[in-house]
Amino acid sequence: NHNFYTYANPNRNPLSSTMPEQMNVAMMTSGGLAPCLSSSVAYLVEFWAAALKAGTISGLTIRMYVDGYKGVLIGESTVLSPDSYDACSCLHDVGGSPIGNSRVKLTNIKDCLARGFIKEGETPLEVAAQQLIKDNINVIHTIGGDDTNTQAAVLSKYILDEHGGKVVVVGMPKTIDNDVFPIVQTFGADTAAEQGSLFFTNVVSESSANPRMLIIHEVMGRDSGYLTAATSRKYHDSLKKATFVPGLTTTAKSRDIHAVWIPEINIDIAAEGARLKKIMDETGCVNVFLSEGAGVNDIIAELEANGEEVPRDAFGHVSLAKINPGVYFSKRLATLVGAEKTLVQKSGYFARSAASNPFDRKLIKDCAEEGVKSAIAGVSGCMGQDEDKEGTPIRAIEFERIKGGKHFDTSAEWFKTLLKEIGQN
């Protein structure tokens, strides 16, 4: 097998001069689930197998690291049999990850040590580097969000700097938040919005279960309100196609959205309460779509003022599930609108665990095809539609330009129209 690690001249790009006899490709999925992981694996396998069949490469192994960076650190992986390449197409019908996920930060030595991924005196970067070298990996596809992909870039640089080797890293941008710079649309976000709409189509029927019902539909989204806004749009538009019987209590207005609260919009709870109480008096229910990241700073300030610890994950992100924004807002709003009963329903796990819809599958396919070409050419980067380039082409976007935390653009015409139609200023 061709030794991809070139110690004599580590800055040389081996792929650009001499085609390696054997391409050893690795894949891993990491972070939270999204409706794209299985399809990403399926399309990457498809296009690598096509490259082998076309003679673009002369040999191929595909190694799957189990449970993301955990598998890299503890050396748990499986090599996909060539007989299974074609069978991977069935993954398009499956949600979740076919190889498992985990949340691991390679620079968080304390966390990796506590979880048994490394031993005392070791560093996660060195352990991961040694594993990739041992497995003779040429290319690794990291299917995850901004944290996953920027970590892979750090690992690749570490291998080059400390071991004189090179691993081409081609990331696939997974996040239902759609909050990664400078990518137009991340994988799974459209499917998650569609599934969140489907979720609420059933949940909204609970508004008929009790007089003066308040329903909070809590949607995933830490820093960006994109998913909440897109879910609201899909659900609101679906009602325009529905038919209702005049004279009955179930109406288009009783089943519609009455408020959309996202991090990018300041929430005046008193003013909104007064507005929504009029709707409660008229329809007997109020339905609010709430981004889980909305008002989080206020909740954190309240917890810290009370001397309570703010729970955080390995990346330092606030654990939204534990501080529970939906419950926080429901208690305050229930009093303001005079609700007799309150229901907080979270669509996140339902939405993120679905298989990719046609829109996302097309996006993933296009990025996977270009991603394999990029890997063969020896070019690292995160695949996606580059919004900083004319025509937003799909390309391997330089990792140093990849950054999370992109806010939703509330000036989008469709969003302004949505708020106007539901009566929210």
Side-chain angles (χ1 to χ4, degrees):
N1 288 348
H2 178 83
N3 185 358
F4 199 79
Y5 299 92
T6 310
Y7 295 92
N9 183 5
N11 294 319
R12 180 180 71 87
N13 183 347
L15 288 176
S16 65
S17 54
T18 306
M19 183 62 60
E21 298 173 3
Q22 177 78 21
M23 286 295 287
N24 298 320
V25 177
M27 298 182 198
M28 54 165 280
T29 61
S30 187
L33 296 184
C36 63
L37 301 173
S38 293
S39 279
S40 293
V41 170
Y43 278 129
L44 286 169
V45 170
E46 176 183 329
F47 287 116
W48 275 112
L52 177 64
K53 186 176 181 179
T56 308
I57 57 175
S58 58
L60 176 67
T61 63
I62 299 178
R63 181 181 296 271
M64 306 293 188
Y65 285 109
V66 178
D67 295 334
Y69 283 116
K70 174 188 175 183
V72 178
L73 290 172
I74 68 174
E76 185 176 0
S77 65
T78 181
V79 175
L80 192 64
S81 167
D83 294 336
S84 298
Y85 291 171
D86 289 344
C88 284
S89 62
C90 72
L91 296 177
H92 292 303
D93 299 322
V94 180
S97 170
I99 51 179
N101 276 27
S102 65
R103 292 187 183 274
V104 178
K105 189 171 185 178
L106 295 178
T107 54
N108 192 333
I109 298 174
K110 183 178 179 181
D111 180 66
C112 289
L113 187 63
R115 295 165 73 181
F117 301 157
I118 61 172
K119 299 175 182 177
E120 194 71 49
E122 294 181 331
T123 66
L125 279 172
E126 177 61 22
V127 171
Q130 289 291 349
Q131 188 62 51
L132 294 184
I133 291 171
K134 177 184 175 183
D135 294 336
N136 198 27
I137 299 302
N138 307 147
V139 174
I140 184 166
H141 290 289
T142 50
I143 308 165
D146 58 290
D147 286 328
T148 298
N149 284 299
T150 52
Q151 279 196 98
V154 170
L155 177 58
S156 178
K157 185 176 185 301
Y158 181 89
I159 292 173
L160 178 64
D161 293 345
E162 300 297 323
H163 297 280
K166 180 173 180 179
V167 174
V168 175
V169 180
V170 176
M172 300 286 273
K174 167 239 66 162
T175 172
I176 60 177
D177 293 351
N178 193 32
D179 64 345
V180 179
F181 290 104
I183 296 174
V184 174
Q185 184 82 16
T186 54
F187 301 170
D190 188 77
T191 303
E194 185 175 273
Q195 292 293 317
S197 171
L198 175 62
F199 176 89
F200 195 71
T201 298
N202 286 357
V203 169
V204 73
S205 297
E206 289 293 329
S207 64
S208 65
N210 202 82
R212 302 189 71 82
M213 187 79 165
L214 170 62
I215 301 180
I216 305 284
H217 176 198
E218 189 174 328
V219 184
M220 284 186 168
R222 179 180 299 278
D223 298 309
S224 171
Y226 168 83
L227 183 59
T228 303
T231 304
S232 300
R233 180 190 192 184
K234 287 181 183 291
Y235 177 74
H236 179 69
D237 286 349
S238 73
L239 280 183
K240 295 176 181 178
K241 305 170 187 175
T243 303
F244 297 91
V245 179
L248 301 185
T249 56
T250 295
T251 65
K253 189 163 186 178
S254 73
R255 296 183 75 89
D256 206 350
I257 304 163
H258 304 127
V260 179
W261 292 352
I262 59 177
E264 293 85 354
I265 297 178
N266 291 326
I267 303 169
D268 185 336
I269 192 74
E272 276 290 84
R275 178 180 72 86
L276 294 172
K277 185 176 185 301
K278 295 177 182 178
I279 295 174
M280 178 69 86
D281 293 341
E282 177 188 349
T283 66
C285 65
V286 166
N287 306 316
V288 177
F289 276 37
L290 171 73
S291 171
E292 64 178 358
V296 164
N297 290 336
D298 294 333
I299 301 174
I300 291 173
E302 184 175 303
L303 289 173
E304 291 177 338
N306 294 333
E308 298 179 49
E309 183 179 353
V310 178
R312 299 179 185 271
D313 64 18
F315 290 88
H317 299 150
V318 173
S319 179
L320 297 177
K322 293 181 180 178
I323 66 172
N324 221 331
V327 172
Y328 177 88
F329 279 106
S330 68
K331 289 179 179 178
R332 284 151 181 78
L333 187 59
T335 300
L336 294 172
V337 301
E340 288 188 13
K341 185 176 181 180
T342 301
L343 184 67
V344 178
Q345 290 289 291
K346 301 181 181 183
S347 62
Y349 293 112
F350 178 87
R352 77 177 198 172
S353 58
S356 300
N357 70 4
F359 175 90
D360 275 316
R361 281 184 59 174
K362 175 67 165 59
L363 178 62
I364 295 165
K365 181 179 182 179
D366 291 345
C367 287
E369 183 174 17
E370 290 301 315
V372 170
K373 291 178 183 177
S374 181
I376 292 173
V379 178
S380 292
C382 185
M383 303 308 302
Q385 299 157 296
D386 192 338
E387 62 186 2
D388 291 341
K389 304 292 183 183
E390 186 176 353
T392 62
I394 290 175
R395 58 184 297 272
I397 301 171
E398 297 77 13
F399 281 114
E400 58 267 23
R401 295 173 55 216
I402 298 295
K403 186 174 67 171
K406 181 171 73 173
H407 292 298
F408 169 63
D409 181 8
T410 57
S411 68
E413 285 301 321
W414 65 264
F415 185 65
K416 290 193 292 185
T417 299
L418 170 66
L419 294 188
K420 182 179 180 181
E421 290 181 355
I422 67 172
Q424 180 176 333
N425 296 323

